[in-house]
Amino acid sequence: MTYQFLRERDSPELEPIDPLKGHYLLREGDEHGDLAAADEMIRAAETVDGDHWNDDDLLHNAHIVRGTIFLRRGDAQAAAGELLVAAESPDTAGRPDVELALALVTAGQDDAVLTYLRAIASRGSSEPD
């Protein structure tokens, strides 16, 4: 099943949104479009209750896209802030965004990256030791 199918099934009142739209626009170099897509992803995730499939991944991806945009603009501190907000998105399936994290390490934002990775890793370690 695709995300769009599940979104339509679970939230027919919402217009379907591709959770990777911002990432696609980043690759195309559409800075204004990808920022708008990230903001749309955040609004979509925040307008439904927490019981809908994958809304938290939508939030996580949106903040990663915003962080990437800010880093491309030269604002490593704002990018690190977006990475930390992405880390706060509950239940992101334990998949960190390594590309932005590595770029932020290169930009000297080690503390934010460690905080992000620890937050994501703690979600993936739900199995008993």
Side-chain angles (χ1 to χ4, degrees):
M1 286 188 192
T2 66
Y3 177 85
Q4 189 159 345
F5 170 79
L6 292 169
R7 162 118 13 232
E8 288 171 357
R9 182 196 70 193
D10 294 342
S11 304
E13 72 280 3
L14 295 177
E15 185 176 325
I17 181 171
D18 183 345
L20 298 176
K21 180 179 179 181
H23 291 286
Y24 301 144
L25 293 170
L26 278 174
R27 287 190 186 101
E28 293 174 9
D30 184 353
E31 187 173 296
H32 297 294
D34 53 17
L35 189 57
D39 292 342
E40 178 184 359
M41 292 161 68
I42 291 168
R43 281 191 304 277
E46 291 177 343
T47 57
V48 295
D49 63 44
D51 294 333
H52 289 86
W53 183 82
N54 219 15
D55 292 322
D56 297 321
D57 272 346
L58 194 61
L59 273 177
H60 182 261
N61 280 315
H63 288 290
I64 294 299
V65 168
R66 289 177 55 83
T68 302
I69 295 165
F70 294 143
L71 189 59
R72 285 183 180 177
R73 291 179 179 175
D75 192 345
Q77 197 166 26
E82 290 293 333
L83 187 73
L84 292 173
V85 173
E88 295 171 4
S89 301
D91 192 25
T92 59
R95 293 185 305 265
D97 187 274
V98 179
E99 187 175 331
L100 179 58
L102 288 174
L104 285 169
V105 167
T106 302
Q109 298 294 321
D110 300 8
D111 290 340
V113 171
L114 285 173
T115 300
Y116 170 74
L117 293 174
R118 285 183 183 130
I120 298 297
S122 69
R123 290 188 202 115
S125 62
S126 59
E127 294 182 25
D129 293 287

